[in-house]
């Protein structure tokens, strides 16, 4: 719509400039173009703000005027919990005050009260269907939702979930600094996110280690009168001291019921998988004998049986990355003939470990 408005303004300026210096035929042509752009602009506006999708894209809670935790409230709560400020001078003062909270950290995990998954359960609404001004911040030039903003909202929600799990009623501010360690998994359930329908975020803690927390979140969107799943995300967070210099203990988690037991066991499996992937990284461990055989067989498959000259190699089905002679990185996955790259140095190169 913004680009359409710019086109309308441009055509209007052309009409004013050309009114006294061109013939009637050109003015008629510009007038026709102006009418077509006006029709397109109104059609785009109706497609976003009216029709069945817009009327059904508003959450019932928003329609009835019920109070609901919004994403803007999530960030405001985080500022209150941490004591941060958008003003730089106040922020420096708050960081100095946070340094004094180190004495409130637990010396062991046993000193902290046990929590349940229900204690950290949070439900947040993103009212794209009921707040057009907020919707503009999430729209791309193609009138689709900016997925990067959704990831930012998931990250903020994961931090608030962890602070809710570790909160202490006697303390005004949390002595912990919750940091995002990694995004463990994101499962997309739907290929499209409607830009004019409310989105709901729901999440809670599913697994806890000594100093790390796994938070699982679900994103649903209201469409055709019902919330349908959009994606499921798993974030791993770590707790640090107020100055973010060392690890800090978090509250233990006690699962209740078979479903929570299943989620907790899945968290243990995820931890084991992450440890195995970290220890088996090519940055730490050399390729095994089996992996070396695979690389060698892939190399032999690229050779021409009649000649072993470099310009006769055909690289097919091998995923490699290296550097040109000028230092510029290159990558290929085949088929590619070496004669296509006359000025590259094939070393150093990286071969990805097969899955």
């Amino acid at each position: 719509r913004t680009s359409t408005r710019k086109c309308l303004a441009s055509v209007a300026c052309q009409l004013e400039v050309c009114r006294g210096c061109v013939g009637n035929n050109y003015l008629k042509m510009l007038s026709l173009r102006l009418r077509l752009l006006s029709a397109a602009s109104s059609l785009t506006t109706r497609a976003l703000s009216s029709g069945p999708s817009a009327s059904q894209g508003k959450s019932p809670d928003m329609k009835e005027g019920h109070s609901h935790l919004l994403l803007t409230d999530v960030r405001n709560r985080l500022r209150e919990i941490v004591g941060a400020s958008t003003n730089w001078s106040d922020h420096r003062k708050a960081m100095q005050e946070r340094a004094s909270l180190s004495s409130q950290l637990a010396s062991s995990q046993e000193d902290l009260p046990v929590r349940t998954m229900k204690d950290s359960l949070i439900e947040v609404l993103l009212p794209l269907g009921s707040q057009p001004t907020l919707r503009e911040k999430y729209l791309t030039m193609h009138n689709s939702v900016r997925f990067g903003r959704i990831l930012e909202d998931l990250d903020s929600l994961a931090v608030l979930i962890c602070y809710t799990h570790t909160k202490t009623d006697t303390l005004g501010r949390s002595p912990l600094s919750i940091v995002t360690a990694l995004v463990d998994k994101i499962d997309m359930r739907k290929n499209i996110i409607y830009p004019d329908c409310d989105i709901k975020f729901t999440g809670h803690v599913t697994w806890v280690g000594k100093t790390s927390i796994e938070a699982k979140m679900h994103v649903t969107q209201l469409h055709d009168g019902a919330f349908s799943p959009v994606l499921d995300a798993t974030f791993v967070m770590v707790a640090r001291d107020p100055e973010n210099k060392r690890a800090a203990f978090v509250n233990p988690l006690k699962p209740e019921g078979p479903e929570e037991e299943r989620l907790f066991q899945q968290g243990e499996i995820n931890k084991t998988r992450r440890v195995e992937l970290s220890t088996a990284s090519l940055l730490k461990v050399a390729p095994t004998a089996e992996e070396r055989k695979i690389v060698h067989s892939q190399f032999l498959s690229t050779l021409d049986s009649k000649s072993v000259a470099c310009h006769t190699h055909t690289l097919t089905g091998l995923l490699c990355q290296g550097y040109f002679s000028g230092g510029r990185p290159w990558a290929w996955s085949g088929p590619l003939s070496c004669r296509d790259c006359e000025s590259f140095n094939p070393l150093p190169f990286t071969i990805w470990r097969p899955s």
Side-chain angles (χ1 to χ4, degrees):
R1 286 180 296 172
T2 303
S3 60
T4 304
R5 294 192 189 104
K6 292 181 179 179
C7 290
L8 289 172
S10 175
V11 174
C13 291
Q14 293 180 38
L15 282 174
E16 292 296 331
V17 172
C18 299
R19 189 179 302 274
C21 57
V22 298
N24 293 331
N25 292 335
Y26 187 61
L27 287 176
K28 290 180 180 179
M29 181 185 67
L30 288 179
S31 300
L32 178 61
R33 182 185 174 192
L34 182 61
R35 288 196 298 270
L36 291 175
L37 287 174
S38 300
S41 176
S42 60
L43 179 61
T44 304
T45 304
R46 289 196 300 270
L48 280 175
S49 59
S50 64
S53 61
S55 61
Q56 297 177 5
K58 185 183 295 186
S59 173
D61 295 335
M62 300 299 293
K63 290 179 181 179
E64 298 170 7
H66 295 171
S67 60
H68 210 293
L69 183 64
L70 304 180
L71 274 171
T72 53
D73 302 327
V74 170
R75 294 182 174 89
N76 292 334
R77 287 193 181 186
L78 289 177
R79 293 189 184 97
E80 295 175 359
I81 293 172
V82 179
S85 175
T86 55
N87 188 299
W88 174 243
S89 59
D90 296 340
H91 177 72
R92 293 181 60 186
K93 181 179 179 180
M95 291 300 99
Q96 294 175 357
E97 295 176 354
R98 280 192 59 81
S100 62
L101 298 177
S102 299
S103 59
Q104 302 177 3
L105 293 174
S107 57
S108 65
Q109 194 177 36
E110 289 72 20
D111 298 336
L112 297 171
V114 179
R115 305 294 189 191
T116 64
M117 294 187 185
K118 295 180 181 178
D119 293 334
S120 60
L121 179 62
I122 296 179
E123 185 176 281
V124 181
L125 187 68
L126 178 61
L128 297 181
S130 51
Q131 294 187 9
T133 55
L134 177 65
R135 182 193 309 155
E136 293 291 339
K137 299 180 181 179
Y138 282 80
L139 284 180
T140 66
M141 60 180 298
H142 304 291
N143 286 333
S144 59
V145 176
R146 296 169 56 189
F147 192 72
R149 290 298 299 266
I150 300 297
L151 293 179
E152 291 179 9
D153 296 337
L154 286 171
D155 187 49
S156 300
L157 179 60
V159 174
L160 181 60
I161 288 173
C162 294
Y163 274 122
T164 305
H165 175 81
T166 59
K167 69 178 179 180
T168 303
D169 296 333
T170 58
L171 299 179
R173 293 180 179 177
S174 175
L176 299 177
S177 297
I178 303 297
V179 182
T180 305
L182 60 93
V183 180
D184 189 58
K185 192 176 184 181
I186 293 182
D187 293 327
M188 298 299 301
R189 300 299 184 89
K190 190 163 57 176
N191 297 329
I192 183 173
I193 302 178
Y194 299 99
D196 53 351
C197 297
D198 289 352
I199 297 177
K200 184 183 294 184
F201 297 79
T202 307
H204 59 85
V205 172
T206 55
W207 175 86
V208 167
K210 291 290 185 179
T211 61
S212 57
I213 301 176
E214 181 186 275
K216 189 178 291 293
M217 292 159 289
H218 308 280
V219 179
T220 58
Q221 187 169 37
L222 183 65
H223 188 64
D224 293 335
F227 280 97
S228 58
V230 175
L231 64 86
D232 299 325
T234 303
F235 281 51
V236 178
M237 323 296 287
V238 293
R240 310 283 292 177
D241 69 338
E243 298 180 278
N244 196 17
K245 293 182 178 180
R246 59 185 178 89
F249 293 103
V250 297
N251 299 65
L253 180 66
K254 180 182 179 181
E256 297 178 345
E259 179 62 21
E260 293 188 2
E261 286 284 354
R262 184 189 66 81
L263 291 175
F264 190 84
Q265 292 299 324
Q266 184 61 44
E268 291 284 354
I269 295 174
N270 294 339
K271 177 192 174 183
T272 304
R273 172 177 52 82
R274 290 192 295 267
V275 172
E276 291 177 352
L277 289 176
S278 177
T279 55
S281 172
L282 287 175
L283 299 176
K284 299 180 180 180
V285 182
T288 63
E290 181 182 359
E291 292 169 343
R292 289 196 295 267
K293 289 181 180 179
I294 294 175
V295 173
H296 186 253
S297 62
Q298 290 282 0
F299 169 72
L300 293 178
S301 65
T302 67
L303 294 178
D304 187 354
S305 58
K306 299 180 180 180
S307 174
V308 293
C310 179
H311 69 275
T312 60
H313 289 200
T314 301
L315 310 176
T316 305
L318 188 63
L319 180 60
C320 293
Q321 178 179 344
Y323 297 90
F324 287 99
S325 57
R328 184 167 54 88
W330 60 270
W332 44 258
S333 58
L336 175 66
S337 174
C338 283
R339 63 168 59 94
D340 296 332
C341 303
E342 297 178 354
S343 60
F344 75 91
N345 179 14
L347 293 177
F349 64 88
T350 301
I351 302 179
W352 275 260
R353 187 186 299 272
S355 58

